[in-house]
Amino acid sequence: MIQEDRSSFSKWSPSIGLCLTLFTVAFNVSVIPAIMPRIVRDLDSSMGYVQAALVLLALVKASFAPTCENLIKQFGRKPVFLSGLVLFGMGTIATSLSPSIGMFVISYSLICGLGATPLISSPRELIGIIHSEKTEMYSQLALIVASIIGGLTGAVLGGLIASNYGWRWSLMPQLLIIPLIAFLVRKVPRTVQAQTEPLDWVGGLLSFLGFGLTLLGVSLAGEYGWWFAKQEFKILDLVIPPFSLSIVPLLIATGIVCLGIFTAWQRQEANQGKASLLRVGLLRYQPFLICLFTASIHTLITTGIQFNLYQFLPAVLNLNPFQTALAVLPFSLATLFAVVYATFKLVRRINHKQIIYAGLTMFAVGIWQLYSAIDLQMKPLDILPALVVMGAGSGLFLAQIGVTTFSTVRREELAEATGVYNPLQNLGSALGRGILGSVLIVTASANIVDKVVIELGKTISSAERSRAIQVLEKVIQTYSTDERREFFSQLPAAVQPSLNPIINSSVVEAMRTSVAIALIFSIICLILAFFVPKRFQTAREV
């Protein structure tokens, strides 16, 4: 009996390790929004800088993904995976010991981001190697469930630990799991070296610049402006660009140009039979692209809304990190339940496209309910129905979108498809925080300025209003709590009695605006889902 148990454990231990890998990466991402106020206070920083660290983390993962796949072709998936695990652990230790926000960004965004890239892309491919087609579906489900539970645990457990012991200890659970992962995946088969040609460093550089500059532009939009410059962008006292245009459109345009050159370079390398990061032909498969962009937009919405909830609820309801995590918890629980239920019950009776469309419809209804529930008198329980409906809809969608997306490519193209799919999800995550997070800050700042001016019975010019909004955005994103309190205390005495109601109502209106934009994105998702293939097909059939 003991020998049989050992044999069973030996059979399933690699899969358990891979599931724990996605659990840990999801924990790492979800714990930061839950403990953000503690980080800001301890490092004497601002919400804006910590938010930029989260966006930069997604940027690094998206930018490094194609090069990571190239390294895997050269050295094999397992060695690169284990190297990423070591790097991720080093980044976690450095993050927990960070004495300043600069070291926090380097440790968390750069080191953890580089380490996490192979940890995200490898489990799906390795599961396919370990299991037969009969058990692969359930193993892929386990990966999705592990990622959801990791996100849920990071928010709740991280918030609880931060509230009682400090934010640095909130990173300890993932650090304890890393050696266990290394032990469990030791028997994962080592894949044969796929190529002997030199690494495509030119393609890697172009992909990094393309994804990186685009995401960096998005992440800086709130601080520097989407088009006209809110403030100057300087490098060694050199103003870039040297005119009134913001640095943001220049970065995004340069990133898009780099991505275009990257695409042309990949086509040239493939035509000459040389090493390339991915098959550009994948980007011509319409079903693959439709599924890809639908999934990315959904990631944008869910990431942006959850991020804003972690900023909005503490400010309006005066919740600590643990209480905030509990308030948002129903979304993750409903997502988890819906994923499992859809996989084991619905897929046998309902077409996958119907499940995807039903999920997105429920998700849109949940966003509308959230919009209706947000007001000055709201309580945590008021948003519970909306979060449950949103979570259930998201779970139905997630249960099928990955399977549907990868069914559109041949099995030998799965690695390249993963190399495209994961960066686009990271791009969606970064855009969610960048766009919806910026909307929350910018709209709240504009509302506060306008209401204070009305309360004082004064009129100001458009230029003065713009300058006041820019100053307030900087205050919200870069000042500590005490510094913000001191800043607002310097406003005229006539407005002080009404200041707290003005701030709260402005934040509520800003949150409703960001949710309304999320609803627009969800409608775009519904439109795209209409073109998702009705049956599973491969690229050969397209």
Side-chain angles (χ1 to χ4, degrees):
M1 179 64 71
I2 294 176
Q3 186 175 1
E4 183 179 338
D5 290 343
R6 287 179 178 174
S7 176
S8 178
F9 176 77
S10 177
K11 176 182 177 182
W12 291 102
S13 60
S15 300
I16 296 172
L18 295 172
C19 288
L20 283 175
T21 300
L22 292 187
F23 172 94
T24 305
V25 174
F27 183 101
N28 175 264
V29 174
S30 64
V31 70
I32 299 301
I35 63 176
M36 190 178 294
R38 308 276 173 158
I39 298 174
V40 171
R41 190 178 307 117
D42 185 47
L43 299 182
D44 192 26
S45 183
S46 70
M47 292 289 189
Y49 285 122
V50 181
Q51 178 183 351
L54 283 165
V55 174
L56 186 59
L57 175 71
L59 183 155
V60 170
K61 289 189 290 186
S63 305
F64 185 61
T67 300
C68 177
E69 288 300 319
N70 205 8
L71 290 171
I72 289 169
K73 291 178 183 178
Q74 184 79 15
F75 301 107
R77 190 168 291 277
K78 185 176 180 180
V80 175
F81 175 87
L82 292 175
S83 300
L85 194 64
V86 172
L87 193 60
F88 186 78
M90 293 171 58
T92 300
I93 294 173
T95 301
S96 65
L97 298 176
S98 298
S100 65
I101 188 63
M103 283 302 301
F104 176 89
V105 172
I106 292 172
S107 303
Y108 180 74
S109 302
L110 182 60
I111 302 178
C112 283
L114 291 173
T117 305
L119 304 185
I120 295 171
S121 63
S122 296
R124 183 184 296 273
E125 178 72 12
L126 291 175
I127 283 290
I129 296 172
I130 296 170
H131 294 279
S132 64
E133 292 186 11
K134 184 176 180 180
T135 58
E136 185 179 353
M137 182 185 73
Y138 298 107
S139 299
Q140 297 290 358
L141 169 65
L143 293 177
I144 297 174
V145 170
S147 184
I148 295 172
I149 294 177
L152 184 156
T153 307
V156 177
L157 182 60
L160 179 61
I161 294 175
S163 297
N164 290 279
Y165 304 104
W167 71 268
R168 298 177 189 274
W169 291 99
S170 298
L171 302 175
M172 186 57 64
Q174 68 188 50
L175 195 59
L176 296 175
I177 295 174
I178 289 173
L180 178 60
I181 294 173
F183 173 77
L184 291 173
V185 302
R186 72 192 189 284
K187 291 188 177 181
V188 169
R190 183 165 181 155
T191 54
V192 179
Q193 188 171 318
Q195 71 178 40
T196 56
E197 297 92 344
L199 292 176
D200 182 12
W201 293 112
V202 174
L205 177 62
L206 288 172
S207 70
F208 186 84
L209 290 174
F211 284 115
L213 292 175
T214 302
L215 287 176
L216 182 61
V218 172
S219 68
L220 293 177
E223 188 173 353
Y224 289 92
W226 283 101
W227 187 254
F228 294 108
K230 294 181 178 179
Q231 58 178 302
E232 293 180 339
F233 183 87
K234 293 182 178 180
I235 298 179
L236 300 177
D237 293 329
L238 178 64
V239 178
I240 304 174
F243 37 84
S244 60
L245 187 68
S246 169
I247 187 65
V248 170
L250 180 62
L251 288 173
I252 294 176
T254 305
I256 292 173
V257 170
C258 287
L259 287 175
I261 298 173
F262 168 68
T263 302
W265 174 264
Q266 292 301 287
R267 183 179 291 111
Q268 174 184 304
E269 293 293 286
N271 290 338
Q272 295 178 1
K274 297 180 180 180
S276 58
L277 296 186
L278 55 86
R279 294 187 181 98
V280 180
L282 281 175
L283 304 181
R284 292 198 297 266
Y285 300 154
Q286 183 177 340
F288 176 73
L289 289 178
I290 289 173
C291 295
L292 181 68
F293 287 121
T294 304
S296 300
I297 294 174
H298 181 76
T299 300
L300 181 156
I301 302 168
T302 55
T303 302
I305 285 184
Q306 289 185 84
F307 181 83
N308 281 359
L309 283 173
Y310 277 108
Q311 315 315 309
F312 169 75
L313 294 177
V316 175
L317 301 180
N318 196 29
L319 303 179
N320 63 34
F322 178 61
Q323 292 170 330
T324 303
L326 287 181
V328 183
L329 178 63
F331 176 85
S332 298
L333 289 177
T335 301
L336 177 61
F337 176 82
V339 166
V340 175
Y341 181 79
T343 302
F344 284 101
K345 296 291 185 181
L346 295 184
V347 294
R348 300 174 184 176
R349 296 176 291 177
I350 303 177
N351 181 272
H352 68 280
K353 181 174 180 177
Q354 292 176 321
I355 295 175
I356 289 174
Y357 213 79
L360 289 176
T361 302
M362 286 184 64
F363 185 71
V365 171
I367 293 177
W368 174 254
Q369 289 179 312
L370 180 64
Y371 178 86
S372 303
I374 294 174
D375 60 42
L376 285 171
Q377 288 75 40
M378 65 174 289
K379 298 178 181 179
L381 288 178
D382 293 336
I383 62 173
L384 176 61
L387 293 179
V388 170
V389 174
M390 286 172 57
S394 182
L396 293 178
F397 175 80
L398 292 175
Q400 288 299 297
I401 190 61
V403 176
T404 304
T405 302
F406 291 110
S407 75
T408 62
V409 302
R410 292 185 289 259
R411 192 171 186 86
E412 62 267 23
E413 295 175 317
L414 188 59
E416 280 88 357
T418 302
V420 175
Y421 185 87
N422 288 328
L424 260 292
Q425 302 318 300
N426 287 320
L427 175 61
S429 179
L431 288 173
R433 294 189 181 98
I435 294 175
L436 297 184
S438 296
V439 166
L440 183 65
I441 298 298
V442 172
T443 306
S445 301
N447 289 343
I448 292 172
V449 168
D450 292 340
K451 291 181 179 182
V452 167
V453 170
I454 293 173
E455 184 71 20
L456 293 174
K458 297 182 177 180
T459 57
I460 58 175
S461 66
S462 298
E464 291 173 327
R465 178 179 180 271
S466 297
R467 285 195 296 271
I469 292 173
Q470 292 173 19
V471 170
L472 192 53
E473 287 176 23
K474 183 177 181 180
V475 168
I476 292 174
Q477 295 184 83
T478 62
Y479 281 25
S480 66
T481 302
D482 292 337
E483 289 173 333
R484 285 199 298 269
R485 190 179 295 113
E486 181 180 353
F487 172 83
F488 285 118
S489 69
Q490 297 174 6
L491 294 178
V495 79
Q496 292 297 329
S498 305
L499 190 57
N500 283 336
I502 286 175
I503 293 174
N504 287 338
S505 62
S506 297
V507 173
V508 166
E509 291 171 11
M511 185 64 186
R512 286 170 63 89
T513 300
S514 70
V515 174
I517 293 175
L519 182 59
I520 294 172
F521 279 119
S522 69
I523 294 172
I524 295 174
C525 256
L526 277 169
I527 295 172
L528 284 175
F530 181 79
F531 300 98
V532 168
K534 294 181 180 179
R535 63 186 181 89
F536 290 134
Q537 57 181 326
T538 66
R540 294 180 185 275
E541 301 173 313
V542 178

